[in-house]
Amino acid sequence: MKPCRECRHETSDQALACPQCGAPYPARVSWDGWGYEYKSRFTIAGLPLLHISFKYRPNRTPVVARGIIAVGQFGCGVVCIAQFGVGIVSLSQFTFAGFALAQFAVAYSLVAQFGVYVAEGHGQMVYRLSELLGI
């Protein structure tokens, strides 16, 4: 038995929530959210080489993967692999990128099911930006 970090009520080491106050994982000294997150120690221009994040903070806000290589539900990086992504090269479901392989994309060049592109695009319903703007 250990004290809850929030209310100090004695709880099991294995408890998922404090029976007194409801704090998640009360036996842990600190807790910063649900899910998984990894950041490499090696950085380039202040960004980790690799940031993987499938995590939510205690207030239920998602942790965005930000790095040279970003992997997660939400991602922003030079190379981005995410459900919702922004990057130079992106493999995503929804993305805004330079070069994209996605289901829905806005990109300079893309392969997508639905997309808007500037230079080159391939897919089911992809449109050149200049055509959409009537230029």
Side-chain angles (χ1 to χ4, degrees):
M1 299 288 281
K2 289 187 176 180
C4 170
R5 73 176 171 283
E6 299 293 329
C7 70
R8 310 310 294 166
H9 181 267
E10 287 291 317
T11 61
S12 167
D13 296 4
Q14 304 300 315
L16 297 177
C18 175
Q20 183 74 24
C21 69
Y25 304 102
R28 294 183 183 173
V29 175
S30 67
W31 183 77
D32 68 344
W34 292 272
Y36 176 78
E37 181 177 23
Y38 169 80
K39 283 186 185 179
S40 65
R41 292 183 184 175
F42 183 74
T43 62
I44 298 172
L47 291 172
L49 177 63
L50 174 64
H51 187 187
I52 301 170
S53 178
F54 293 96
K55 186 172 189 172
Y56 284 85
R57 296 282 182 229
N59 63 0
R60 306 263 195 235
T61 58
V63 177
V64 178
R66 292 183 183 99
I68 303 301
I69 301 169
V71 179
Q73 185 174 3
F74 300 91
C76 180
V78 176
V79 176
C80 181
I81 301 170
Q83 183 175 7
F84 301 94
V86 176
I88 305 291
V89 177
S90 182
L91 173 62
S92 299
Q93 184 174 9
F94 302 93
T95 191
F96 183 81
F99 302 94
L101 176 59
Q103 185 174 8
F104 300 93
V106 175
Y108 178 77
S109 181
L110 61 82
V111 175
Q113 186 173 5
F114 303 98
V116 176
Y117 64 92
V118 175
E120 183 178 0
H122 303 281
Q124 188 174 1
M125 295 180 68
V126 295
Y127 303 98
R128 182 181 289 266
L129 180 63
S130 59
E131 292 173 3
L132 290 176
L133 297 176
I135 299 173

